[in-house]
Every structure is written in C-alpha cells, then in structure tokens.
Amino acid sequence: MRLIPRSFLWRTILMILIPLIVAQVIVANAFFGNHWSRVHNTLARTLAGEITTMMNFIDAGDTDTTQKMARDIGINVTFHEKLNRPKHNDNHARETGHLASELSKRLQRRANIYMDRGKRLVYVDVPTRDNQIATFGTSLYRIYSTSTEVFIIWLLGSILIVSILIAPFIIMHTRSIRRIACAAGRFGRGLDAPGFVPTGSKEIREAAASMITMKERLDRYNRTRTDMLNAVSHDLKAPLTRMRLAVETNTATSDDLIRDIDRMTEMVNGYLAFARGEAPEIEQATELPPMLTRIARDAAPDKQIVTDFPDAPTQFYARPMALARAFSNIIENAARYANKQIKITEHDTVDTVEVIIEDDGPGIPDDRKRDAMRPFVRLDDARGTETGGTGLGLSIAQTAIENHGGQMFLENSELGGLRVRIVLPI
C-alpha cells in the first residue's frame, strides 16, 4: 500500500496541510484542552454550590427563600412526589460529569442529572428529607461551554479554507510542469511543440526556457552535422575531380597537385576541428587585452591595429584557450577582409565584458548576417572571391562564446565593414 501519492499536486497539498493540521491539533490540545477543563470545573462548582445552598434551605423548611434565590440566579425549582425519568441518568455524560462529581462531594445524598440536548436544558433531581424530589432546572450553558467546540469547528473550517485557496495555485503550477513534461517528451522524439510558451512561477519559466534553449542547440547541432557531411562531400569532390582529370590527361604538375592537396588538408583540418569541438579545459583568471593584442599582431601584421582598452581591465574566470581560439577566428576573419584598419575595443561593466572587433572591409549585408553564423556557409559574394576557407570561423567562435554563457552579434561598423560584438558574463 502506497502512503505517499505519486503526483506533485497531492504531494504539495499534503506538504502544506499535514503541518497545518498537526499545528492546529497541538494548539487545541495544549491550550484549549486545559482551558476547557478549567472553565467546566468552575461552572460545575458554581452551580453545585448554588444547588447545595438551596437544598440547605429546603431541608430547613424555608421554601420561600429557596424560590426567591432560585429566581435570582435563574434556576427553576419544583417539587414532586414521583418523577417518570429514564432508567439511565446522565451523571457520566461529557457535559454533566463535572457537576455530578461536585454534587457528590457537597450533598450527603445521591443526585441524578438528566439532559434535554434538543432544548439545551439540564435537570438535577435531589431527594429531600420529607421523601420528595426537588428538581432544579436550568440552561445547559450554566455548566457546559461550547466556545471550544466552536473553536475546533473554526480550526477545521480554516483548514478547509486554506485548502480551497491553495488548490488553484498548486493546480496552475502542476499544469505548467505537466506542459513542460509533454513538451520535453515531444522534443525527445524529435518533434516540435507548437504553442508551447513558458508559464507558471519564475523558476518553472526558467526551466522551460532552458529546455527550449537546449532544444534549439540540439537542432543546431544536428543541422551542423548534416551540413558538415554535405560540405565534406561537396568541397572535396571538386579538387579530387580536378586532380583525377589532370592525372588522366597528363596535364598534372606537382605544384598544382600540392596546391590541391594543401587545400584539401586545410578543409579536412577545419572539419575535424569543428567536429571535435572544444577540449576540456580548466577555467583560469583571464584578462582580454593582452590576448587580443597578441592575436591581432599575429593575424594582421600588415594592417593598422587600433585598440581601446580600459586602464584596469576586468579579470574574470574563463577557458583562455577556447576564448583565444574564438577571438583568433574573428580577428583572422577581419584581417582577411579589412582594407587597412582593424579596431578592437573593450568595455567593462559590473556584470559583463564587451569586446568589439571592427574592420573597414566590404562588410556583410543585413540579410546575410544570420547565414554568416552558420557553419560551412561562405559569403563569397559579400566578402570576396579569392578568400577560400571552409565557412567555419564565425561558427566555431560563436560556439566557444556561447559555451562561456556569452553572446555574439554581427553588426555594421562605422568603419564601413563588419562589426562583431561579443558580450561575456563575469
């Protein structure tokens, strides 16, 4: 038998209600249990004392004083030769037990107590010395307080009210989690989840947004691998066909073959580097200006390098080799297409480090910027016809930046060329 429900809805409801119920029970027992007993004892002693006093007057034959006292304290006193009472009295009932105990201590005779719960009345029959029965009738509230019962009912009502109030919120949270589970199941089968929008609390929305980001990265990963296979078959086919034709027609020269082999080697190395991704690397305290200066000096020795770095650049933890590889691809790309000048700028804030790399080359049209970030895409029309490359530079850089939690944007530069803006979190 399973005691703990499986669903998040019922587990949450129990997690809220069980401590609430336990706390209410402890309060009721610890405080109102003692309070209830003290109140009933006091009420029973008071009524028992009044009945005892009136019985003393009755035994002395002073019925007038008894009647006057009874009227003053709200008790009806009658005398009977014989009463038709039920066989069993209520001396041991919950409401009258204290009164019966007090009367047995004060009177030297047995008193029988009967209740009319419907009319909320109590009757006390006491035999007199002249063989009559004196009946004292009064309200049941004289010996029994219902305030504790009302409080217990209120405790139960408060639990019910809390349950009604929290149920819609828990149901909304549960629905959001269930929608995430359904969307994750569709994503796992390679399907889309149309209309799926993160809802619910902040944490649930963040989890849903992270799952959507993961789905987009997996889709990009699959597209990239497909593009890589297509690019390998396409790019290697041309030099292989040219080499085969040159050999078969006896027009091949060693220089031509070596040039084609070098070109194929460059493409294969690029494909392998992209397929391997980043090797594991320990994060270290990193400053970007020295790294950027060294990369720019090596990548563009014949270009004018303009830098604008802070006097005290921010140090942050990163994987320096991965960042260096990313910035090398970007700066080499700028050096390949720049006419004369490359500008590198760093802006530091409390939470981020922003690096801007600009060139004065032909730039990239706005409608082609998205394609430029895709692997194996070469924008020869925009960037030149003799530049070569495999179209992996910006894609590899973007992957490295995103692995650091950053973002990379392609924009238009005031120099006339491309402006690559990288934002890295600290």
Side-chain angles (χ1 to χ4, degrees), residues 2-58:
R2 180 178 293 273
L3 298 179
I4 301 177
R6 293 184 177 182
S7 68
F8 173 78
L9 172 63
W10 288 108
R11 287 192 177 194
T12 306
I13 291 176
L14 290 180
M15 183 175 63
I16 296 174
L17 292 185
I18 289 178
L20 178 61
I21 293 173
V22 171
Q24 302 281 40
V25 170
I26 292 175
V27 170
N29 286 336
F31 180 75
F32 285 94
N34 296 332
H35 171 74
W36 199 5
S37 179
R38 287 196 299 270
V39 168
H40 290 167
N41 283 332
T42 302
L43 293 174
R45 283 196 298 270
T46 301
L47 183 58
E50 293 169 349
I51 292 175
T52 301
T53 301
M54 287 187 287
M55 283 303 301
N56 291 333
F57 285 119
I58 291 171

Side-chain angles (χ1 to χ4, degrees), residues 221-295:
Y221 175 85
N222 292 330
R223 287 195 305 268
T224 299
R225 292 309 183 260
T226 302
D227 292 343
M228 184 179 70
L229 293 176
N230 294 333
V232 169
S233 62
H234 178 271
D235 292 345
L236 294 183
K237 188 181 297 182
L240 286 174
T241 302
R242 186 169 53 250
M243 293 170 64
R244 180 183 181 87
L245 180 62
V247 171
E248 289 179 350
T249 58
N250 292 323
T251 59
T253 64
S254 59
D255 292 338
D256 293 337
L257 293 176
I258 290 174
R259 186 164 48 252
D260 284 334
I261 292 173
D262 290 341
R263 173 65 179 151
M264 292 172 61
T265 302
E266 177 187 354
M267 289 189 293
V268 170
N269 289 337
Y271 298 145
L272 292 177
F274 182 77
R276 284 194 299 266
E278 294 185 18
E281 184 181 356
I282 299 176
E283 290 189 348
Q284 303 176 21
T286 304
E287 282 188 5
L288 294 182
M291 176 193 298
L292 296 172
T293 302
R294 173 179 53 79
I295 293 173

Side-chain angles (χ1 to χ4, degrees), residues 15 27 32 107 147 157-158 174 176 201 213 221 232 329 340 408:
M15 183 175 63
V27 170
F32 285 94
L107 296 175
S147 61
S158 65
T174 305
S176 299
S201 64
T213 302
Y221 175 85
V232 169
N329 289 342
K340 295 181 180 179
M408 188 171 78

Side-chain angles (χ1 to χ4, degrees), residues 80-82 127-133:
H80 308 276
E81 296 292 336
K82 185 177 180 182
T128 63
R129 291 185 177 178
D130 55 0
N131 296 323
Q132 287 187 321
I133 299 176

Side-chain angles (χ1 to χ4, degrees), residues 295 298-300 325 327-337 342:
I295 293 173
D298 296 340
R325 188 157 49 249
F327 286 120
S328 294
N329 289 342
I330 298 172
I331 295 175
E332 287 173 2
N333 190 72
R336 184 180 298 118
Y337 299 107
I342 298 174

